[in-house]
Amino acid sequence: MAVSAKTNPALHVALQREINALLRKSAGECLVNHEPHHDFGPASEQARSKGACANRTEQQGNDSDFPFPLRIGTVLGFRRGTQGSGGVTCAFVSRRLQSPKGEFEFLRRLLPQLPRGREMVVGPGHDAARVRVWGGEWLLTVDAQTEGVHFRLPWLSLPTLGRRSFRVAASDISAMGGTPRFALVDCGVPRDVSLDAVYKMELSLMREAAAWGATIVGGNLHRAQELSISITVVGDAPKRRLDRGGARPGDLVLVSGPLGDSALAVHLLSRGKECPPALLRRWQLPPRRDELGRRLAQRGFATAMIDLSDGLAQDLSHICVESSVGAEVFASKIPLSRPYRRYSGGDLSFALAGGEDYELLFTAPPKRLEAICKAASAVGCEVHVVGHVVRGRGVVVRDAAGKEIDLRTAGFDHFARR
């Protein structure tokens, strides 16, 4: 006999709790952690109890330790724990809505269904929406940081998390040459995080926003299983439209700083290895590139632009799709920091596909290169030519010998099967 929330809500809830309890007992309260570069899986109770973050208070009981609600009828299985899981048998859950083709195929199916009005200048598929309001134009974007998916608390304090969250969200405004003006903050707080700690985090976030010229104008606070911060940012749009479309064959492909530091830091930390402060800092506080983005847009230097959140190869492919062009990148030209060269062991995958650099990736005509370098120098950063735009489709990355590097697994996808 089927039991649903409609036919018998009390029994339905009781059965769900019983199933979750049995799963926790069978699985040793451990989930398989696939550990892509910034999807860490739920934090273990052992890690929480070791005082990984001083802002934590004593954890209280919870109906479920799973990172999402288990519904009756969910397909369940068990597999042996992989490296780092202690060899215990772990539960995994097959979510039927999790397409094997991943996040971007899902968006390609969904976005054409969204309505478009005359007020929408640039819609879904770019870093931020550009809308026409009261004779002017605004940029709107939203981003989230969730514990166990985007961060682990042992790796940063809550005040630093507040600053990081705003920088990550505002980076999308920078990628379209805009200026953040207003923000709304939604914060999910688990029972083992004190409101005093959340207060300090929110103050830090507010100060970071003010440094960018933005004001927090409202938000929401609620209970959650994991700590999460979601920020909606509204910004001024530049007069010149700049987004992922507009790249032309013959344009240069440029980045605004060294790549791979953030992903390498996560790789080292998640494996308990030494991580130099310089790498960790790059992950904790992504660089501000708002002033450079504004100059590139206002002066018409860039033809297309995006912020590097999912990796060079994947984010460049987004520009290529929107611009109906191809691109060629030379691995030897990718800027790398000294700590990266020392701790990466010569592995370029973090720089090519690691993500979370939050540098600007843009295209521009060769004749603009000198002016672009001067503009970057004026705001305290360097730009690097890493390739060029070509006719055709897709991104090709070549090694020092000119051989094409396989990019089939490059870039982060929240919903791809691993």
Side-chain angles (χ1 to χ4, degrees):
M1 177 181 69
V3 178
S4 71
K6 291 183 178 179
T7 59
N8 194 330
L11 180 57
H12 186 267
V13 170
L15 285 172
Q16 282 195 174
R17 288 182 176 179
E18 185 65 22
I19 289 172
N20 286 348
L22 289 172
L23 285 169
R24 290 198 302 274
K25 182 177 180 181
S26 300
E29 298 193 0
C30 175
L31 288 172
V32 169
N33 180 7
H34 296 286
E35 281 198 353
H37 75 281
H38 64 319
D39 186 351
F40 309 117
S44 68
E45 295 299 322
Q46 183 179 7
R48 290 175 181 270
S49 64
K50 282 188 174 181
C53 177
N55 295 316
R56 289 284 195 182
T57 58
E58 184 176 351
Q59 183 165 352
Q60 301 178 21
N62 202 328
D63 286 339
S64 172
D65 292 329
F66 287 86
F68 53 88
L70 295 178
R71 303 298 180 194
I72 294 174
T74 302
V75 180
L76 299 171
F78 294 90
R79 65 160 65 109
R80 272 285 158 195
T82 55
Q83 182 180 3
S85 68
V88 298
T89 302
C90 302
F92 67 91
V93 179
S94 174
R95 284 174 278 183
R96 295 177 183 177
L97 291 179
Q98 186 168 335
S99 167
K101 294 185 178 180
E103 173 184 0
F104 300 105
E105 177 61 27
F106 173 83
L107 292 175
R108 277 191 288 271
R109 292 171 57 194
L110 176 66
L111 297 186
Q113 310 304 318
L114 298 178
R116 292 173 179 263
R118 286 181 294 179
E119 297 83 4
M120 183 187 297
V121 181
V122 176
H126 297 266
D127 288 79
R130 182 168 178 147
V131 298
R132 189 176 293 111
V133 181
W134 300 316
E137 293 187 355
W138 292 86
L139 299 174
L140 299 91
T141 188
V142 62
D143 211 321
Q145 296 288 294
T146 302
E147 181 184 2
V149 177
H150 302 93
F151 66 90
R152 288 179 181 172
L153 282 177
W155 300 347
L156 77 175
S157 66
L158 289 189
T160 301
L161 175 61
R163 295 185 64 192
R164 171 183 166 81
S165 299
F166 185 84
R167 288 196 178 197
V168 168
S171 180
D172 286 333
I173 301 294
S174 301
M176 294 183 69
T179 303
R181 292 302 185 196
F182 307 102
L184 297 167
V185 180
D186 177 90
C187 189
V189 184
R191 295 185 182 276
D192 59 337
V193 173
S194 70
L195 288 181
D196 182 61
V198 175
Y199 176 77
K200 294 176 182 177
M201 179 181 71
E202 295 274 10
L203 281 182
S204 181
L205 192 158
M206 291 167 57
R207 290 168 183 149
E208 181 67 32
W212 288 61
T215 304
I216 306 299
V217 294
N220 182 49
L221 187 67
H222 59 91
R223 279 291 182 206
Q225 286 189 322
E226 305 291 345
L227 182 63
S228 66
I229 310 175
S230 178
I231 302 179
T232 299
V233 183
V234 179
D236 289 331
K239 291 184 179 180
R240 293 177 182 268
R241 174 178 163 178
L242 179 60
D243 50 50
R244 298 178 184 183
R248 298 183 291 266
D251 282 353
L252 302 175
V253 176
L254 305 99
V255 295
S256 61
L259 307 184
D261 286 359
S262 182
L264 179 56
V266 169
H267 174 80
L268 295 172
L269 289 168
S270 62
R271 286 155 181 77
K273 297 181 179 180
E274 178 189 1
C275 179
L279 291 180
L280 178 58
R281 194 66 175 172
R282 285 279 294 183
W283 173 78
Q284 289 176 333
L285 287 177
R288 282 185 58 174
R289 296 293 182 241
D290 49 313
E291 183 59 36
L292 176 61
R294 281 192 291 272
R295 293 188 180 214
L296 292 174
Q298 291 168 357
R299 301 177 186 181
F301 290 162
T303 53
M305 189 157 66
I306 189 173
D307 72 326
L308 283 165
S309 57
D310 295 323
L312 172 62
Q314 186 158 280
D315 286 325
L316 181 54
S317 73
H318 296 326
I319 287 181
C320 290
V321 169
E322 292 296 331
S323 303
S324 299
V325 295
E328 192 171 40
V329 171
F330 302 98
S332 61
K333 293 186 176 182
I334 297 174
L336 306 173
S337 68
R338 287 184 180 179
Y340 184 97
R341 294 179 186 277
R342 179 180 176 185
Y343 286 86
S344 67
D347 187 350
L348 276 178
S349 63
F350 304 107
L352 275 173
E356 295 200 311
D357 292 303
Y358 297 104
E359 295 286 355
L360 295 179
L361 168 66
F362 60 100
T363 58
K367 65 181 181 181
R368 299 290 192 184
L369 181 58
E370 184 177 355
I372 289 171
C373 291
K374 289 181 179 179
S377 178
V379 296
C381 71
E382 296 181 351
V383 294
H384 306 265
V385 177
V386 297
H388 56 263
V389 178
V390 298
R391 299 184 185 278
R393 294 291 186 274
V395 176
V396 174
V397 179
R398 300 192 182 280
D399 63 18
K403 183 179 178 181
E404 183 176 345
I405 296 175
D406 186 0
L407 295 177
R408 285 177 294 180
T409 59
F412 182 74
D413 184 331
H414 274 280
F415 297 98
R417 293 192 188 277
R418 294 176 178 84

